[in-house]
């Protein structure tokens, strides 16, 4: 208990506080209307980056013996270099490990730092977090991740697809006789997030030091005993319950998360399950950030302090999430190092990221804060499909013994996902749904001339894009303002046997069709073991003079190693890690195929050639490459 007391003292030390704090509001507006342009910071970064990294592509092209490009071609490419983006799908650790191998192979080709953007959601967002922590050094990725320890203590591994989790989590409960379940299943004492938080807070704050024993006691009851009585009031901690995890180990894990979140709560901000989830992700890093008094978790500050980012020599990271205000579907929000907001026509507003969490009404800043843009919280927002894991576990256990049910419900209650919280419709319209990531205050609240579900409430609900079946962060890169020419897509979805079948990409194409942006997905794909290039033909954007980007679609598939691990596999040994990384490399390089590598030179520069005022003939080699790999 002395160690626990030390943890509390550390958290109360002002120099270590990572909670949002009030600052003076700047004189310039915090919210901008995204009409037809990027923000100034993003535009400036890209211009500087083009100068800094364009030789990376020239070096790659010169390394291609089979393609045999000439000096005139290199001059054209240098004068009008193509813009590249990377989109990493969700899929838990499977996606993170495959994606890390994928961009490592890109880096070996010199194409990672050349790329302008890297977008990620869910497991893909964990790569972005790792990149930020590692100063964008690709070769340092995973060095700080503790993959041997459970990502979420007390939650067992099981093999189920994301789609089953999302579509069945609530449906299975609702389709049953709820009243019967309420009679059969004994209600636990912790049934909601606020109740859990308040009771743990009461126990944590009920400490008094006993000189005789030099320990923390309260009425002869130490905090562990108090918390045990909260969760198990009738002393029902049985061997069955213990199968989910040793009580003390699991409890200490969540108790420490609670203490890390407490400063944000004390500042008056609404907290939710996602706050816990964000701290859990950060905790998987081996670095002990608590020992560094100058450390910050602010996404904007971490990126801006990165030496490589200052040099404008790395892709700009974009975290993607979906909004659930008013039961919206497929409405994308994004976090860049500069801004938070949405390009969707329903909003097209952005707030300066360092001031996220400020009270802004009708576009006017009333109270400004920094540090709300916590890297763990943003990453957790993008990967909140794990919220549904806990709901699904509850459903799976609904026919189990009462002891097992109580144990599972206890773990869910820790996250504010007790059945009463999740499956009841609140009559109190002021109660926030804390199973979502809660962004309050809403920076776009009552913004002039924008009156809809995204502006008429003082909060935003954000979730994992996988909840809407949009498991690939592609649309954020296709927007015309970013003028990308080629987008590398890595799809690690679990469509069939934890392998993708292209259905997630097809769903995105259907959404793009609604926006008058048309791609054709191959109807008869013989194999997903090699890249599929989509949109090779130079098609103009609706109402614009620029071309739609080429999409190079890579799908996780069997190469030398079975890489269809469960999305919810939460531990990996070193051998498994190495094999997943190898598969990611093989996916990008098409099994180190030198012919494909040469063809990649043709594909990456095709839009540069398409933009020439006079139609130029491609080399016979490139024409054959387009026949071999392009579908349009």
């Amino acid at each position: 208990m002395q160690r626990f007391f030390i943890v509390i003292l550390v958290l109360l030390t002002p120099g270590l506080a990572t909670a949002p704090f009030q600052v003076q509001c700047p004189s310039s507006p915090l919210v901008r209307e995204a009409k037809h342009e990027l923000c100034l910071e993003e535009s400036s970064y890209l211009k500087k980056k083009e100068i800094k990294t364009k030789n990376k592509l020239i070096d790659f092209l010169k390394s291609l013996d089979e393609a045999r490009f000439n000096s005139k071609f290199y001059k054209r490419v240098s004068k009008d270099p193509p813009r590249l983006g990377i989109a990493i799908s969700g899929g838990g650790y499977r996606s993170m490990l495959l994606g890390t191998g994928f961009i490592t192979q890109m880096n070996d080709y010199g194409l990672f730092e050349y790329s302008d953007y890297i977008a990620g959601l869910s497991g893909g967002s964990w790569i972005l977090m790792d990149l930020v922590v590692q100063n964008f050094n690709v070769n340092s990725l995973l060095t700080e991740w503790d993959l041997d320890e459970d990502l979420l203590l007390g939650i067992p591994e099981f093999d189920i697809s994301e789609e089953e989790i999302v579509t069945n989590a609530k449906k299975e409960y609702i389709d049953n006789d709820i009243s019967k379940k309420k009679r059969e299943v004994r209600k636990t004492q912790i049934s909601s997030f606020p109740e859990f938080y308040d009771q743990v807070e009461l126990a944590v704050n009920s400490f008094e030091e006993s000189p005789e024993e030099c320990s923390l006691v309260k009425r002869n009851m130490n905090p562990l005993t108090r918390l045990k009585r909260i969760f198990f009031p009738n002393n029902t901690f049985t061997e069955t319950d213990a199968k989910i995890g040793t009580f003390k180990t699991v409890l200490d894990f969540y108790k420490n998360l609670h203490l890390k979140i407490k400063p944000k709560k004390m500042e008056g901000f609404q907290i939710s399950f996602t706050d816990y989830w964000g701290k859990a992700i950060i905790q998987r890093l081996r670095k002990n950030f608590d020992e560094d008094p100058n450390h910050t978790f602010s996404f904007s500050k971490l990126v801006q302090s990165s030496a490589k980012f200052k040099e404008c020599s790395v892709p700009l990271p974009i975290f993607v999430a979906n909004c659930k205000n008013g039961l919206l579907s497929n409405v994308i929000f994004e976090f860049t190092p500069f801004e938070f907001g949405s390009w969707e026509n329903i909003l097209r507003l952005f707030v300066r990221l360092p001031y996220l969490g400020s009270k802004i009404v009708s576009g006017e800043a009333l109270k400004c804060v920094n540090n709300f843009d916590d890297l763990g919280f943003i990453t957790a927002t993008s990967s909140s499909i794990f919220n549904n894991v806990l709901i699904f576990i509850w459903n799976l256990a609904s026919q189990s013994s009462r002891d097992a049910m109580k144990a599972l419900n206890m773990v869910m209650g820790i996250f504010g996902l007790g059945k009463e919280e999740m499956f009841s419709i609140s009559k109190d319209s002021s109660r926030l749904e804390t199973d979502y990531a809660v962004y309050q205050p809403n920076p776009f609240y009552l913004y002039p001339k924008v009156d809809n579900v995204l502006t008429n409430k003082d909060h935003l609900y954000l979730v994992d894009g996988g909840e809407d079946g949009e498991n690939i962060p592609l649309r954020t890169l296709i927007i015309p303002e970013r003028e990308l020419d080629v987008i590398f897509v890595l799809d690690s979805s679990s469509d069939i046997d934890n392998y993708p079948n292209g259905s997630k990409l097809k769903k995105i194409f259907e959404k793009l069709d609604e926006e008058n942006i048309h791609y054709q997905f191959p109807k008869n794909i013989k194999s997903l073991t090699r890249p599929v290039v989509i949109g090779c033909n130079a098609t103009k954007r609706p109402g614009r003079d620029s071309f739609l980007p080429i999409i190079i679609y890579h799908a996780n598939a069997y190469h030398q190693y079975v890489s269809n691990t469960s999305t919810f596999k939460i531990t990996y040994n070193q051998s498994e890690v190495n094999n997943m990384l190898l598969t990611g490399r093989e996916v990008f390089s098409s099994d180190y195929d030198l012919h494909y590598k040469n063809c990649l030179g043709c594909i990456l520069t095709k839009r540069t050639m398409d933009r020439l005022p006079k139609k130029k003939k491609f080399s016979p080699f490139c024409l054959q490459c387009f026949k071999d790999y392009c579908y349009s």
Side-chain angles (χ1 to χ4, degrees):
M1 300 317 297
Q2 287 178 325
R3 179 177 62 84
F4 185 47
F5 184 61
I6 292 172
V7 171
I8 295 175
L9 291 177
V10 169
L11 286 167
L12 293 177
T13 304
L16 292 180
T18 59
F21 58 88
Q22 187 170 352
V23 296
Q24 184 176 354
C25 293
S27 57
S28 57
L30 295 182
V31 178
R32 79 172 180 99
E33 298 178 15
K35 295 180 179 178
H36 301 291
E37 69 286 326
L38 300 172
C39 70
L40 293 177
E41 294 88 348
E42 186 171 335
S43 295
S44 176
Y45 183 86
L46 294 174
K47 289 176 182 177
K48 294 176 182 177
K49 185 179 182 302
E50 179 179 313
I51 298 172
K52 182 75 175 180
T53 63
K54 66 180 179 181
N55 287 335
K56 293 276 187 180
L57 179 61
I58 300 299
D59 291 342
F60 172 72
L61 295 173
K62 287 182 177 180
S63 72
L64 306 176
D65 297 333
E66 193 177 349
R68 297 180 181 179
F69 298 117
N70 56 37
S71 58
K72 188 177 181 180
F73 178 83
Y74 297 139
K75 289 180 181 178
R76 288 173 183 160
V77 173
S78 183
K79 186 177 180 180
D80 181 19
R83 284 189 168 181
L84 311 185
I86 308 165
I88 308 294
S89 80
Y93 271 153
R94 180 184 65 247
S95 174
M96 178 185 174
L97 295 172
L98 292 169
T100 299
F102 186 88
I103 65 174
T104 300
Q105 190 62 37
M106 283 191 73
N107 194 55
D108 288 353
Y109 283 4
L111 296 176
F112 175 75
E113 289 191 353
Y114 176 78
S115 299
D116 290 302
Y117 297 94
I118 178 168
L121 67 78
S122 201
S125 73
W126 302 351
I127 297 176
L128 302 190
M129 185 183 81
D130 203 7
L131 279 169
V132 172
V133 171
Q134 296 299 337
N135 187 32
F136 295 91
N137 290 312
V138 173
N139 292 328
S140 297
L141 293 177
L142 298 182
T143 57
E144 299 293 344
W145 276 85
D146 190 351
L147 293 164
D148 289 331
E149 189 172 344
D150 289 348
L151 188 59
L152 289 171
L153 294 190
I155 305 300
E157 290 186 351
F158 60 99
D159 191 0
I160 198 77
S161 72
E162 296 100 313
E163 185 175 1
E164 288 178 283
I165 286 289
V166 171
T167 59
N168 295 331
K170 293 186 178 181
K171 181 177 182 297
E172 288 193 7
Y173 185 91
I174 295 170
D175 286 348
N176 285 286
D177 184 351
I178 296 179
S179 60
K180 181 179 178 181
K181 283 182 178 292
K182 286 185 176 179
R183 290 193 301 269
E184 292 179 350
V185 181
R186 186 174 182 178
K187 181 180 177 181
T188 58
Q189 194 164 341
I190 303 296
S191 61
S192 69
F193 183 89
E195 185 180 349
F196 162 73
Y197 187 96
D198 291 343
Q199 293 205 43
V200 173
E201 185 69 11
L202 176 64
V204 169
N205 291 333
S206 298
F207 297 151
E208 289 182 358
E209 186 171 357
S210 171
E212 295 79 9
E213 299 180 4
C214 293
S215 61
L216 298 171
V217 296
K218 180 70 174 179
R219 298 189 186 91
N220 298 321
M221 187 188 300
N222 64 41
L224 181 60
T225 302
R226 288 178 59 82
L227 289 173
K228 185 174 178 181
R229 290 194 180 183
I230 287 173
F231 290 119
F232 301 98
N234 298 320
N235 197 27
T236 56
F237 184 61
T238 66
E239 184 179 352
T240 304
D241 301 316
K243 290 180 181 178
I244 299 177
T246 303
F247 174 75
K248 185 180 185 304
T249 302
V250 174
L251 187 59
D252 281 346
F253 177 80
Y254 296 111
K255 184 173 60 179
N256 289 332
L257 294 185
H258 174 83
L259 289 171
K260 291 179 184 295
I261 292 162
K262 180 178 177 180
K264 182 177 177 179
K265 173 81 170 181
M266 292 176 65
E267 291 296 326
F269 290 94
Q270 173 70 56
I271 63 171
S272 65
F273 164 81
T274 309
D275 289 278
Y276 279 75
W277 175 218
K279 294 303 181 185
I281 299 173
I282 289 289
Q283 203 159 286
R284 289 308 95 213
L285 299 175
R286 292 191 183 96
K287 284 185 176 180
N288 189 351
F289 296 109
D290 290 338
E291 293 181 355
D292 182 359
N294 298 315
H295 181 76
T296 176
F297 286 109
S298 164
F299 174 38
S300 57
K301 291 178 183 177
L302 284 169
V303 173
Q304 299 294 349
S305 66
S306 164
K308 286 196 171 188
F309 195 84
K310 287 179 180 178
E311 296 171 355
C312 302
S313 63
V314 292
L316 196 151
I318 304 177
F319 291 83
V320 175
N322 284 16
C323 188
K324 283 299 179 186
N325 279 36
L327 300 179
L328 288 173
S329 178
N330 296 101
V331 172
I332 294 174
F333 276 68
E334 67 176 34
F335 303 80
T336 75
F338 310 116
E339 294 185 310
F340 163 77
S342 176
W343 293 99
E344 303 275 5
N345 290 329
I346 192 175
L347 190 68
R348 292 191 77 86
L349 294 174
F350 287 85
V351 64
R352 291 161 63 180
L353 188 67
Y355 294 95
L356 183 62
S358 300
K359 185 176 182 180
I360 305 171
V361 180
S362 301
E364 181 181 352
L366 304 181
K367 177 184 176 182
C368 293
V369 303
N370 285 168
N371 259 28
F372 188 93
D373 61 329
D374 182 274
L375 180 62
F377 184 53
I378 291 173
T379 305
T381 299
S382 181
S383 58
S384 60
I385 195 171
F386 280 80
N387 299 22
N388 291 308
V389 176
L390 304 179
I391 303 170
F392 196 85
I393 289 176
W394 193 92
N395 289 324
L396 289 177
S398 62
Q399 303 301 322
S400 302
S401 68
R402 290 187 177 184
D403 285 340
M405 272 296 299
K406 281 187 293 187
L408 285 166
N409 217 15
M410 179 274 289
V411 175
M412 290 184 62
I414 283 176
F415 285 111
L417 295 176
K419 61 181 182 299
E420 296 297 324
E421 177 78 357
M422 290 305 305
F423 303 114
S424 64
I425 300 176
S426 174
K427 296 180 180 179
D428 180 8
S429 60
S430 65
R431 184 181 71 86
L432 296 182
E433 298 292 340
T434 49
D435 51 307
Y436 295 143
V438 179
Y439 283 73
Q440 186 186 44
N442 176 3
F444 315 117
Y445 182 49
L446 300 181
Y447 194 84
K449 299 181 181 180
V450 184
D451 183 14
N452 55 51
V453 294
L454 296 177
T455 60
N456 59 21
K457 298 292 184 182
D458 70 344
H459 57 270
L460 293 172
Y461 292 138
L462 297 182
V463 299
D464 189 321
E467 295 217 12
D468 290 335
E470 195 159 350
N471 202 38
I472 304 171
L474 181 59
R475 285 200 291 136
T476 195
L477 298 179
I478 287 181
I479 63 166
E481 289 81 0
R482 292 198 161 118
E483 299 180 332
L484 290 182
D485 296 309
V486 179
I487 302 173
F488 292 97
V489 170
L490 174 60
D491 188 357
S492 299
S493 302
S494 61
D495 299 321
I496 299 177
D497 296 329
N498 289 332
Y499 282 122
N501 63 2
S503 60
K504 297 297 187 298
L505 184 63
K506 185 177 180 181
K507 182 178 179 67
I508 292 175
F509 285 176
E510 291 171 353
K511 182 65 178 176
L512 289 171
D513 278 340
E514 299 174 8
E515 302 170 10
N516 202 27
I517 296 174
H518 306 296
Y519 283 96
Q520 291 184 346
F521 189 78
K523 295 180 179 179
N524 298 311
I525 298 179
K526 295 181 180 179
S527 172
L528 288 176
T529 58
R530 75 174 196 169
V532 179
V533 185
I534 302 170
C536 281
N537 290 343
T539 304
K540 289 290 184 68
R541 294 178 180 274
R544 289 183 175 254
D545 195 39
S546 58
F547 298 112
L548 286 172
I550 295 170
I551 296 172
I552 307 180
Y553 175 72
H554 307 75
N556 175 32
Y558 177 79
H559 289 261
Q560 299 182 52
Y561 176 73
V562 177
S563 56
N564 61 333
T565 54
S566 169
T567 301
F568 308 108
K569 175 177 170 60
I570 52 180
T571 59
Y572 282 77
N573 60 42
Q574 193 57 52
S575 175
E576 291 172 322
V577 169
N578 293 339
N579 285 320
M580 295 294 281
L581 293 175
L582 175 61
T583 300
R585 284 177 170 272
E586 292 169 337
V587 168
F588 177 79
S589 63
S590 192
D591 292 319
Y592 304 104
D593 185 336
L594 291 179
H595 175 69
Y596 170 71
K597 183 180 179 180
N598 277 263
C599 284
L600 198 55
C602 301
I603 296 165
L604 296 183
T605 57
K606 188 176 186 303
R607 286 294 183 260
T608 295
M609 303 299 289
D610 290 334
R611 281 192 290 268
L612 289 174
K614 294 182 180 179
K615 191 172 183 179
K616 300 289 182 180
K617 291 184 178 180
F618 291 96
S619 68
F621 176 81
C622 284
L623 290 174
Q624 185 59 49
C625 286
F626 300 149
K627 288 182 180 179
D628 291 342
Y629 290 97
C630 288
Y631 180 92
S632 51

